[in-house]
Amino acid sequence: MSSMIEIKEKDAYRPAHVEEKWQRRWDERGTNLRSDEDLRSAKRPFYNLMMFPYPSAEGLHVGNMYAFTGADIYGRWKRLLGEDVFEPIGFDAFGIHSENFALKVGTHPMELIPRNVKNFTRQLRRIGAMYDWNHTVNTTDPSYYKWTQWIFLQLYHAGLAEKKEAPVNWCPSCKTVLANEQVIAGRCERCGTLVEQRVLSQWFFRITEYAARLLKNLEWIDWSESTRKAQENWIGRSDGAEIRFRGIAAGEPYDIAVFTTRPDTVFGATFMVLAPEHSLVDSLTTRERRAEVEDYRSRVRAMDMVTRKSVEKAKTGVFTGAYCTNPATGEEIPVWIADYVLMEYGTGAIMAVPGHDERDFEFARTFDLEIRRVIAAEGEDAATPLDAAWAGEGVLVNSGAFDGTPTQDAGAAITTWLEGMGAGSVRVNYRLHDWCISRQRYWGPPIPIIYCDACGTLPVPDEDLPIVLPHAENYRPDESGKSPLARVEEWYRVPCPKCGGEARRETDVSDTFLDSSWYFLRYPSTSFDDVVFDPELTRKWLPVDCYIGGEEHAVLHLLYSRFITMVLHDRGFLDFEEPYRTFRKHGLLIKEGAKMSKSRGNVVIPDAYIEEWGADAFRMYLMFLGPYQEGGDFRDSGLQGPFKFLSRLWDTVVPANQLLDGPATGDLEQKLHTTIRKVTEDIARLDYNTAIAAMMEYLNAVREGGRVAKRAEIEPVIPLVAPFAPHVAEELWEHLGNEVSLFEAPCWPDYDAVKTLADTIEMVVQVNGKVRARIAMARGTGQKEAQAAALADENVIRFLDGGRVRKVIFVPDRLINLVVGQP
Ligand code: ANZ
Ligand code: ZN
């Protein structure tokens, strides 16, 4: 009796034991590691990439694990298919997030970050992803950021990095500049504080020069549709015209250029509006109006961007005292300034067409300016009064020679006409802005620039890289708008690389998004210190075959990494210009119906679950709770299903070698082939939840009523389970007598398409085209037999009603139609 219990306990599925064993094995055997030689000699390279994590102090959360598991399953599956899969991971450890946390807990980031990385590494090993730890990156490592700095210099040499005075987004709480992409609804992406505007001297990357290409390639790259769309909107192409309005101030002519998407409405432009920051405002404001204009400008400066951009806000503005000429009508029209015109879009000035633009309409109403109709819709004419702006189609009126032209044609015609007068031209405008990449913070790679009073701005010579970030005791940012590095004199004072005289380093550091814009290019080449990436390895492994990540990076990381790749391509370092062959977004996890958030206290930390149920069951559950690309709801109780499935699989294979011999037959054979087919096709589409459901269903069929399984029914299922639950799959595979690891020998099972078809089919029997019976028949039944069976059916006999069969239409395995005539 006691020995029986012993056997039972010994035989039970104990994930902790199995997982510990296989993680040790994989380590000992280097199952997941690739040497550089392996990378060079790989026959079927497949680069499986996932977005590398920021190693927070809280450790890996379930959202990370969800992303990584889904990506790892794909990589493991490819490996089981016999491909040489490269699956690296690293740490995106610079940036405000880490720095703010370090400030909060009072630990220097140079101590804090290595600690976090260590903890993350432990957790990443525990979840059973097949990471190649031979090829890992840490963005805070000088051997990595040496090349981040080198990339900055490449952009500098290409004329794509420039320092300019610019109104920038300033977070008063983080005390730093933010890129537009980091401002969400007017607030700092990191801390939620309302963002202010400040005019500072900043480094910009001229990503706008690449706007057209970044947009164009979206037509063919294979990305999740919503991600592609988000990027398209962010780049935001608008087609229109630039029109120049001439004026005279203090005897000197000047031009106000406007960008408009509606050149067809130019005859209705009854006034102009400049952004209060527009550079012409000073020179064209008349003496009488100056005090009021200045007062308005300072009020706008103090305003946050959310308020400023809100559409509902009452219109405000002031008249500058100046007039300019509408080139279409020749009329003098007043020039105003108002906060609803933004400096950073188009030219920072508009022609106001109150008859057909809503904001201009409200503005004209508020300040009693002329509203003129220049478009008449169906049933209207030039004199029909306007009680709201009409933004729709129609024909032109009050528009001189263009009267009667439909709006669809008028834009191009008027642009051409204005062009002939030298007052306009076709223009494409993008919403995208240049990328502000300097940060007045500490925790980032120093920008490799030196300023010399005699020689000016100089790039650091490549051989002097990396410019190592000094260990500054006091790294707290302040109000000065300068980086904490500006307080480290012994660091920033350097000899000029050109004249040897006294010079100063740039004290700003670069944006974290620069660190992450190129990490995937580095992974295959981490062994090399003398080149950023080895050309041969790069040709072999890049572009990335499959990239999986969250949609929150659709417009930040994904856009920047495409841009940097294009620039490196143009500089001759890469022979491709799009970094990812495919990108798939994963969905979002919620917890019992609510979004996970720290403040709500419902963030799932994987560790305890993994402890209790094992990484395998946890991985499987994450993939089971919803379609991977859509996300799902995490419920504690949900883990039981996948755990039971794995236990049952275990109990089928392990205890006392009870598997029977002989082939799978009948329904089970068909079900086996159907299951292999479904799992194969579903994984390829990342439909993991339905793949898992199919395996569960199959196992239920095999064990129905406590039936003892045949080896041939169960062995092919082990590789199917392996991407999801790799540890237990390895253990069962070994138990079945296989000596080589599942992942070392390609063992994904094939299915026989013919065998996925059931042996019996349902034949539809029609009489004169109407369905009168459905009869089960053996697959492949011939017409003669089918007809005989149909004619024997009672219902069919009734509808034949004694008529003679004149014609038979027969579709094998589907349908037989008996056409009868009157007797
Ligand atoms: C005249 C006009 C008449 C306009 C009309 C619209 C309707 P999208 O499509 O977003 O590109 N605009 C241009 N620059 C601006 C700025 N810096 N701040 C605020 N508004 C600006 O929008 C282009 C339109 O937005 C332009 O076309 C301009 O108004 C306005 F019946 O010009 B339109
Ligand atoms: Zn010098």
Side-chain angles (χ1 to χ4, degrees), residues 667-743:
D667 278 358
L668 270 183
E669 185 188 27
Q670 184 235 331
K671 215 165 173 62
L672 174 62
H673 286 270
T674 316
T675 305
I676 296 172
R677 177 185 192 154
K678 177 148 183 66
V679 173
T680 307
E681 291 172 354
D682 284 359
I683 293 182
R685 290 190 301 254
L686 310 186
D687 286 341
Y688 298 143
N689 57 331
T690 49
I692 294 169
M695 292 188 273
M696 290 176 166
E697 203 186 302
Y698 175 69
L699 186 62
N700 286 344
V702 170
R703 299 302 312 279
E704 204 185 330
R707 179 179 172 278
V708 176
K710 290 180 183 168
R711 182 182 173 121
E713 292 159 358
I714 214 73
E715 192 165 12
V717 176
I718 311 294
L720 300 189
V721 172
F724 302 90
H727 313 84
V728 65
E730 285 272 44
E731 181 69 17
L732 296 178
W733 194 244
E734 184 184 62
H735 189 87
L736 289 174
N738 298 291
E739 270 160 29
V740 189
S741 157
L742 264 170
F743 298 97

Side-chain angles (χ1 to χ4, degrees), residues 50-56 60 64 68 89-93 120 124 131 137 139 519 523:
M50 55 200 86
M51 290 180 176
F52 67 161
Y54 145 68
S56 67
L60 186 87
N64 298 130
F68 297 156
I89 193 82
F91 301 98
D92 187 16
F120 250 73
L124 286 171
Y131 294 131
V137 300
T139 55
Y519 74 107
Y523 277 140

Side-chain angles (χ1 to χ4, degrees), residues 36 78 131 138 154 204 213 222 237 247 304 351 391 425 634 661 673 691 721 742:
D36 284 358
K78 284 283 179 182
Y131 294 131
N138 177 336
Q154 288 301 315
F204 284 88
R213 235 160 114 192
D222 176 16
R237 179 184 166 124
D304 71 81
M351 62 175 199
S425 45
F634 187 99
D661 288 333
H673 286 270
V721 172
L742 264 170

Side-chain angles (χ1 to χ4, degrees), residues 50 66 77 83 161 171 318 480 531 581 604 661 665 668 772 792:
M50 55 200 86
Y66 186 65
W77 174 61
E83 302 194 22
C171 172
V318 295
S480 68
V531 288
R581 282 187 219 279
V604 175
D661 288 333
T665 52
L668 270 183
R772 298 304 179 196

Side-chain angles (χ1 to χ4, degrees), residues 238 259-262 265 340-342 345 348-351 353 356-357 359 431:
S238 282
F259 169 70
T260 177
T261 47
R262 299 293 306 273
T265 64
Y340 78 95
V341 175
L342 306 170
Y345 191 66
I350 64 158
M351 62 175 199
V353 182
H356 304 282
D357 179 276
R359 290 171 309 172
R431 196 154 291 281

Side-chain angles (χ1 to χ4, degrees), residues 614-670:
D616 282 338
F618 195 62
R619 286 167 61 105
M620 207 162 205
Y621 173 55
L622 288 179
M623 297 302 115
F624 189 50
L625 52 70
Y628 183 57
Q629 295 180 78
E630 280 156 46
D633 194 357
F634 187 99
R635 292 175 188 276
D636 288 2
S637 56
L639 262 151
Q640 284 168 20
F643 182 81
K644 271 192 195 142
F645 166 73
L646 292 177
S647 302
R648 196 170 195 196
L649 184 64
W650 177 278
D651 293 342
T652 304
V653 176
V654 172
N657 288 323
Q658 55 172 331
L659 291 176
L660 304 175
D661 288 333
T665 52
D667 278 358
L668 270 183
E669 185 188 27
Q670 184 235 331

